[in-house]
Amino acid sequence: MAEEVFEAKTTSDALAMNRPVVEDKGYTTLNLGPTHPATHGVFQNILTMDGDTIVHGEQTVGYIHRAFEKIAERRPFYQITTLTDRLNYCSSPINNFGWHMTVEKLLQVDVPKRAEYIRVIMMELARISDHVICNSILGVDTGAYSGFLYVFQEREKIYEIYEEVCGARLTTNMGRIGGMERDLSPTAIAKIKDLVYNSLPKVLAEFEKLFDRNRIFMDRTVNVGGITPERALDYGFTGPNLRAAGVDYDVRVMEPYSSYDDFDFNIPIGHNGDTYDRYLVRNMEMWESIKIIRQAIENLPEGPYYANENHYYLPPKKEVYRSMEALIYHFKIVMGEIDAPVGEVYHAVEGGNGEVGYYLISDGGRTPYRLHFRRPCFIYYQAYPEMCKGLTISDAVAIMSSLNVIAGELDA
Amino acid sequence: MESLSIVNVIIVLTIFFVSLGIAAYETYFERVVAAYIQDRVGPDYAGPYGLLQPLADAFKMFFKEDFMPAKADKLLFVMGPGLALFTALLTSAVIPFGDSLIIGGKEYLVQGIEVNIGILWVFGIVALGVYGILIGGWASNNKYSLYGAIRAASSNISYELAMGMAIIAIIMTSESLSVRAIVEQQHGINWNVFYQPMGFLIFLTCAFAECNRTPFDLPESENELVAGYHTEYSSMKLGSYLFAEYLNMFVTSAVISCLYFGGFNYPGMDWVHATLVGLAGETAGHNIATFVGLGAFFTKIFFFIFLFMWVRWTVPRFRYDQLMNLGWKGLIPLAVVNMVITAAAQLSGSPLIGGYIGLAIFLIVFVLLWPLTKPKSRML
């Protein structure tokens, strides 16, 4: 496909796009963002409009760049968890556990089954909350507000479970290297059971009834922002956006981590890779997540919820006050004085909207030598101008919310 | 034409203030309906059940900073919301709210002005209303406002055509342009909606577009155009725009009730009238019966206002080109078909049959054919 070269017509456009000034073609430059209701976060799209049609789009990233990868080089491993919270803040537990698993891979620690099952439950809850946000915001962006509030009540319940498990709601900092920081309480188990058996399936079914066959919703989303599987793979798409294009790639199945091979679930895939397929794939994934959580909570194994990894897992406070070893480990962990083994690992987890990967190089020091986050949003956003070219501004908004570009993850 | 008397003045002023009050309370009503649909609590701080909310909103609006963009056209920027509010207020003048009141042996119509071209008046003024949006959007000197304004103008013009053609069918059956005459023909339950079901559906759809309500609220679609034509407006100028929108909704509901649902007519009205006259005497009985009719009319209006809100909080909104497709390729041809059928039915002398042929065609087109029109495939 021949790439149309965009020509800036005014000095400000030229400066914004780093392109030479050329004569007027009658196009309008429209800044979609950085503070626009449709950009859920802070990022900018400079759209060149021919009337209502997008001729060219230029995406701008970096408005909330916080240099996480650089900060991580100065932090002991356990303190990096809080950075991962702030990547995709819609599903922070997945990022937390992904990071813990990366470190565990480096240390070659085996996590007990119970901890793995608890992790699976929390990760699937996080996936549900991520998909709930994406799909309901797609509804809001196409103009239907009520569905958003219906499912947000369920998201609130998921946050209450987070609160019960780790004490926080949004930036969870859940789990520790080597397991969970505490066991699932009976209240948490009761809440999870209530969610997956009673309230969530009902509300999700209602949400689907409202949107799935809604004529206007389908008009707005079918064949809008479609992407072929080849093109999606070229860009490096993963997660629901790739599966909507018809490629059955899921890290949970391709490279099972955290006992995912114990569970029986399906990977929904789409055909066209358009906005509607992305919506449907996400909805069906929520049903699969419910299935996984049901299996995990029913077959929750007994046993310890953390590995015997003294160098990384904080000893219980009672021990710290009583025994010398525990006091020493506690001190060393908290002060970040533990040297990690030399090594180079990559670990990926299936995040809320794609493969969240951690590439960690350790040179034997207390902090990572280099840490790279593979952030799926960053990759999706590269394809965004191509996807919305030739469409209208309404489509551009729908595509953006269906790609689920989250500013925190985009800019890291 | 009878001379203007103090009673006429009182009636006109009452209609004016009632319109304003209803428009204000529509904002409250909208919040309550939205809260009910979305499973929320809704306004409950200001006064009992939040009933003083519109007042609180108005105070808030007045005390907000009245911001004007530096490069805005000063005159047009003020004129936009003024024009929108002005035209919205004018329309309620010709709507016959009730039958008549007998005061001092003289009969006064419960209506602002009775003109024999009432419907044309309504449509003329409503068509002017789009200037308020267009001027405001242009004067803001903001691209989003301009997009909103242009969308408003084009959607209003397209949907006015279909609306006008639906009205022509009504005029054919009633043989009058006066709203009061049209209402009086629908005595009892002899409502036009039974003769013009297809026309009613077309008119209702167009009414949504005329009021810029979801699914046709493209001019102010908040997720695409920030706030559309009133992006740059603040304080009471914004208030005027919102107020005009709610007034338009009230007037449109009233017009729908008048044209298709018999206005102040209700089943068993003769019996009620006779009973009341028997109980309270000729004058007082007639006046009370008028008030009962007034109640029936407002019930219908509130039902349609509720319908507007119900739809708003349920369905997504159209895309601009889909809106145009629906207007030009769907509603206008159907309105023409409706006109032809109505004319044929009028000539054959059985208007009821004509209505149902129209409804059947409408249903066939919309249920069977419209879903077959697939959007164009646009793959990368």
Side-chain angles (χ1 to χ4, degrees), chain A residues 1 28-33 36-38 40 49-52 139-146 149-150 153 210-211 214-220 222-228 231 271-272 383 386-387 390-395 397, chain B residues 33-40 142-147 151 214-218 221-227 309-322 326 366 369-380:
Chain A
M1 192 161 57
T28 317
T29 308
L30 192 70
N31 280 307
L32 198 73
H36 183 278
H40 313 286
M49 313 280 296
D50 181 11
D52 216 16
V140 173
D141 281 346
T142 50
Y145 197 84
S146 296
L149 289 172
Y150 290 165
Q153 286 174 349
L210 195 58
F211 284 105
N214 186 318
R215 174 69 205 188
I216 302 174
F217 182 73
M218 285 179 75
D219 271 351
R220 287 293 306 277
V222 174
N223 284 329
V224 169
I227 188 160
T228 56
R231 200 80 187 122
H271 297 288
N272 304 324
E386 192 180 326
M387 289 170 101
L391 304 181
T392 64
I393 181 169
S394 316
D395 293 328
V397 166
Chain B
V33 169
Y36 174 67
I37 289 175
Q38 295 169 348
D39 217 355
R40 293 188 283 114
N142 175 319
K143 282 168 191 166
Y144 286 108
S145 302
L146 189 61
Y147 270 108
R151 283 180 178 193
T214 317
F216 305 103
D217 65 339
L218 289 145
S221 47
E222 72 272 13
N223 297 301
E224 296 153 25
L225 300 181
V226 189
M309 289 165 183
W310 188 7
V311 169
R312 171 168 180 187
W313 296 111
T314 309
V315 295
R317 77 170 70 82
F318 282 104
R319 202 169 61 207
Y320 183 63
D321 55 327
Q322 291 162 354
L326 180 66
F366 269 73
L369 294 181
W370 194 38
L372 292 178
T373 57
K374 278 267 170 356
K376 252 191 325 197
S377 179
R378 283 191 285 202
M379 296 278 287
L380 278 180

Side-chain angles (χ1 to χ4, degrees), chain B residues 53-114:
Chain B
Q53 190 68 44
L55 216 63
D57 281 346
F59 270 110
K60 187 202 78 171
M61 286 286 191
F62 274 116
F63 286 111
K64 283 265 179 175
E65 185 196 350
D66 192 2
F67 179 78
M68 193 183 281
K71 291 196 174 172
D73 189 315
K74 299 279 184 301
L75 176 69
L76 294 182
F77 193 77
V78 179
M79 212 171 117
L83 198 61
L85 193 59
F86 175 68
T87 50
L89 278 170
L90 274 183
T91 16
S92 58
V94 292
I95 290 168
F97 283 93
D99 193 3
S100 59
L101 289 173
I102 300 172
I103 295 164
K106 213 169 157 201
E107 201 174 3
Y108 297 96
L109 301 176
V110 187
Q111 189 175 6
I113 35 165
E114 164 59 14

Side-chain angles (χ1 to χ4, degrees), chain A residues 210-269:
Chain A
L210 195 58
F211 284 105
D212 272 12
R213 300 295 300 165
N214 186 318
R215 174 69 205 188
I216 302 174
F217 182 73
M218 285 179 75
D219 271 351
R220 287 293 306 277
T221 52
V222 174
N223 284 329
V224 169
I227 188 160
T228 56
E230 294 79 31
R231 200 80 187 122
L233 284 171
D234 285 351
Y235 270 113
F237 273 38
T238 45
N241 294 348
L242 179 66
R243 290 195 282 275
V247 183
D248 56 344
Y249 175 78
D250 190 318
V251 189
R252 290 177 292 174
V253 176
M254 297 308 231
E255 210 160 322
Y257 52 90
S258 200
S259 305
Y260 262 112
D261 37 5
D262 290 6
F263 306 109
D264 171 36
F265 62 101
N266 301 321
I267 304 296
I269 58 166

